[in-house]
């Protein structure tokens, strides 16, 4: 039997202690006080010094609702790149994940088939995209156009994950690059509050006048509808949450629009009428909400634009569903009374070409469509009766300047028109 000398034993103990200390230092660098770190499976390796990449052209915000604080970390062997971020906060399993910027969903994997698990990719330009991985649920469909701040899914631990977290990447071409939020490069580890607190443009006759007012839905912990009433301070109504989808409609038929929201997670509309709230479940999580007076009875009903398809589903007063096919899967829905007959008509807006396609039905029941180019590529569509003539006019909202541009004409399809601009809301 061979005996080891006391010196050899002490040397082994020292080497083991040093190794343990190095592991503790490495893990300590990845763990923020008061928060547990969860990431992909595999041992952590020392970080490499990487030169900063050029910032993305697309302005992005953190992929979480307004005001939430999250800690982002990485490690030396983070796949596919050390520049990818693993986001955590306390009890984050199931928390909403939102779009860092507007774009088109190119990938929406709802079944686990890779290390990413359930994940979403949003394309922002021809070369830039963002990726959101290990989700527990996916709330969008491939081909769907999503706005900044729109819910994409929920934090989870699917795929190659050792615990709930969001794996996030900013991608240029085929390479992961540094992420920038609110104009600042995100270095890790860091805990930061999300400033993904965007305004969503709306319009409607809120005070009961013949002409429509412009409005915005401001995403925050307690979201607000803000109406710009001429000659008065903006009217503010608190209703909804940061991931809700806003909608306006005259729910009680008194000639004034009221706030409403649709919660993607529950597929539920909540319509505010004075102090009461009516709930209606309709559609699937990725669908976009619409509202209108489908049958001409003065009271408005709700509907959805089915995500990634050309289908509208209109809920009639009886509860029956009417289906209309119009536009392409990545078009945004728009509604209005294009011909002044008292019934709400449908339309879609192609952001890439800034083109409205409007549909109306004549007295004989025949459907007609017309195309009108208005706004600039990337604008969001708005429709309202700007001049009070009983026919809905077209409009657009430019996120970079928070500017409404209103098109005024005898009818929305008329070639002759004038334009008016109004600044309202927060710039993005």
């Amino acid at each position: 039997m061979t005996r080891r000398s006391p010196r050899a034993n002490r040397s082994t103990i020292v080497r083991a202690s040093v190794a343990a200390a190095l592991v503790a230092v490495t893990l300590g660098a990845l763990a923020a006080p008061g928060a547990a770190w969860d990431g992909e499976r595999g041992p952590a390796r020392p970080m490499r010094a990487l030169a900063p990449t050029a910032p993305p052209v697309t302005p992005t915000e953190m992929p979480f609702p307004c005001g939430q604080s999250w800690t982002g970390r990485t490690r030396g062997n983070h796949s596919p790149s050390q520049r990818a971020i693993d986001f955590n906060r306390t009890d984050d399993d199931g928390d909403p994940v939102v779009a860092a910027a507007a774009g088109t969903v190119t990938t929406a994997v709802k079944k686990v088939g890779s290390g990413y698990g359930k994940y979403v990719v949003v394309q922002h330009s021809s070369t830039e995209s963002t990726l959101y991985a290990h989700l527990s649920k996916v709330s969008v469909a491939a081909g769907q156009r999503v706005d900044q701040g729109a819910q994409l899914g929920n934090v989870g631990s699917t795929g190659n994950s050792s615990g709930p977290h969001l794996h996030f990447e900013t991608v240029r071409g085929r390479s992961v690059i540094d992420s920038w939020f609110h104009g600042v490069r995100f270095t890790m580890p860091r805990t930061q509050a999300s400033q993904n607190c965007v305004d969503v443009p709306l319009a409607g006759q809120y005070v009961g006048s013949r002409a429509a007012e412009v409005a915005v839905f401001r995403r925050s912990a307690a979201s607000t509808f803000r109406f710009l009433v001429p000659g008065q301070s903006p009217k503010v109504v608190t209703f909804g949450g940061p991931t809700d989808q806003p909608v306006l409609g005259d729910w009680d038929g008194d000639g004034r629009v009221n706030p409403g929201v649709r919660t993607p997670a529950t597929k539920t509309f909540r319509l505010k009428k004075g102090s009461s709230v009516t709930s209606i479940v309709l559609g699937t999580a990725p669908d976009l909400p619409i509202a209108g007076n489908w049958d001409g009875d003065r009271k408005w009903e709700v509907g959805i634009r089915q995500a990634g398809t050309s289908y509208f589903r209109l809920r009639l007063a009886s509860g029956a569903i009417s289906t209309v096919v119009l536009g392409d899967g990545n078009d945004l829905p728009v509604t209005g009374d294009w011909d002044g007959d008292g019934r709400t008509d449908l339309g879609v807006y192609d952001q890439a070409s800034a083109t409205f396609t409007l549909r109306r039905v004549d007295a004989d029941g025949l459907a007609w469509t017309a195309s009108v180019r208005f706004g600039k590529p990337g604008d969001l569509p708005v429709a309202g009766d700007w001049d009070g003539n009983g026919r809905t006019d077209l409009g657009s909202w430019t996120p970079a300047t928070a500017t409404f541009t209103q098109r005024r004409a005898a009818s929305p399809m008329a070639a002759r028109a004038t334009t008016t601009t109004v600044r309202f809301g927060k710039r993005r």
Side-chain angles (χ1 to χ4, degrees):
M1 178 176 177
T2 303
R3 294 176 179 268
R4 292 184 179 178
S5 68
R7 181 182 298 274
N9 288 336
R10 286 196 299 269
S11 176
T12 301
I13 292 170
V14 169
R15 286 198 299 271
S17 299
V18 171
L22 287 174
V23 171
V25 169
T26 302
L27 294 178
L30 293 172
W37 181 71
D38 287 305
E40 288 83 9
R41 297 187 184 99
R45 294 178 185 172
M47 300 282 287
R48 305 183 305 278
L50 300 178
T53 60
V57 175
T58 307
T60 53
E61 298 290 352
M62 290 180 68
F64 303 105
C66 175
Q68 292 185 357
S69 290
W70 288 76
T71 301
R73 306 175 182 85
T74 190
R75 60 185 189 277
N77 63 332
H78 202 173
S79 178
S81 169
Q82 184 178 300
R83 302 184 196 278
I85 306 171
D86 281 348
F87 279 110
N88 267 128
R89 71 172 187 166
T90 303
D91 297 327
D92 56 9
D93 194 11
D95 282 356
V97 174
V98 305
T104 300
V105 177
T106 56
T107 305
V109 175
K110 300 183 180 182
K111 293 183 178 180
V112 178
S114 71
Y116 282 135
K118 298 179 182 181
Y119 72 102
V120 171
V121 177
V122 179
Q123 194 75 32
H124 305 295
S125 68
S126 60
T127 60
E128 292 182 352
S129 61
T130 49
L131 179 145
Y132 314 74
H134 305 314
L135 304 175
S136 61
K137 294 180 182 179
V138 172
S139 302
V140 290
Q144 177 183 356
R145 185 74 183 172
V146 292
D147 194 17
Q148 182 178 344
Q151 184 168 351
L152 304 177
N154 298 81
V155 171
S157 186
T158 57
N160 185 29
S161 172
S162 62
H165 71 287
L166 174 68
H167 174 102
F168 177 83
E169 299 172 18
T170 302
V171 181
R172 179 185 293 127
R174 302 182 62 140
S175 301
V176 180
I177 63 173
D178 293 332
S179 292
W180 286 60
F181 303 128
H182 208 66
V184 177
R185 178 172 169 260
F186 190 81
T187 56
M188 295 174 274
R190 175 185 287 183
T191 300
Q192 185 169 309
S194 173
Q195 298 187 65
N196 205 334
C197 312
V198 299
D199 282 355
V200 180
L202 301 164
Q205 289 147 304
Y206 180 67
V207 297
S209 62
R210 293 181 62 84
E213 298 90 34
V214 297
V216 295
F217 176 73
R218 181 157 298 171
R219 295 188 182 278
S220 60
S223 295
T224 55
F225 288 81
R226 297 168 179 262
F227 299 87
L228 182 61
V229 180
Q232 302 180 37
S233 300
K235 303 293 185 182
V236 179
V237 180
T238 301
F239 191 61
T243 58
D244 284 340
Q245 304 162 318
V247 63
L248 293 176
D250 185 0
W251 317 129
D252 50 15
D254 68 352
R256 304 182 182 191
V257 295
N258 305 293
V261 295
R262 182 177 184 270
T263 303
T266 62
K267 307 174 283 292
T268 302
F269 283 87
R270 290 185 296 127
L271 313 178
K272 182 176 175 59
K273 296 181 286 186
S275 59
S276 66
V277 176
T278 300
S279 296
I280 298 173
V281 177
L282 181 65
T284 63
D287 297 336
L288 297 176
I290 58 171
N293 184 7
W294 312 132
D295 52 14
D297 69 349
R298 295 183 62 86
K299 291 184 179 181
W300 288 32
E301 293 290 343
V302 297
I304 53 98
R305 166 76 169 178
Q306 190 170 298
T309 75
S310 301
Y311 290 88
F312 284 86
R313 310 282 189 194
L314 311 181
R315 185 182 187 277
L316 306 181
S318 63
I321 303 297
S322 174
T323 301
V324 177
V325 179
L326 179 66
D328 298 323
N330 63 349
D331 288 339
L332 296 176
V334 61
T335 60
D337 186 358
W338 314 135
D339 52 13
D341 68 351
R343 297 171 183 256
T344 302
D345 303 299
L346 301 177
V348 292
Y349 185 71
D350 179 3
Q351 276 190 299
S353 63
T355 301
F356 287 87
T357 300
L358 308 179
R359 177 186 185 273
R360 66 181 183 87
V361 179
D362 66 18
D364 296 323
L366 296 176
W368 299 78
T369 60
S371 295
V372 180
R373 296 196 66 176
F374 191 70
K376 301 186 295 293
D379 283 356
L380 290 170
V382 188
D385 186 0
W386 313 128
D387 51 15
N389 70 350
R391 298 189 178 196
T392 306
D393 299 297
L394 304 180
S396 64
W397 189 76
T398 305
T401 61
T403 301
F404 287 86
T405 304
Q406 302 170 342
R407 183 183 191 273
R408 299 167 185 254
S411 76
M413 296 86 149
R416 297 184 62 179
T418 60
T419 59
T420 303
T421 58
V422 180
R423 292 281 298 271
F424 189 58
K426 293 194 305 182
R427 294 182 300 171
R428 298 187 187 177

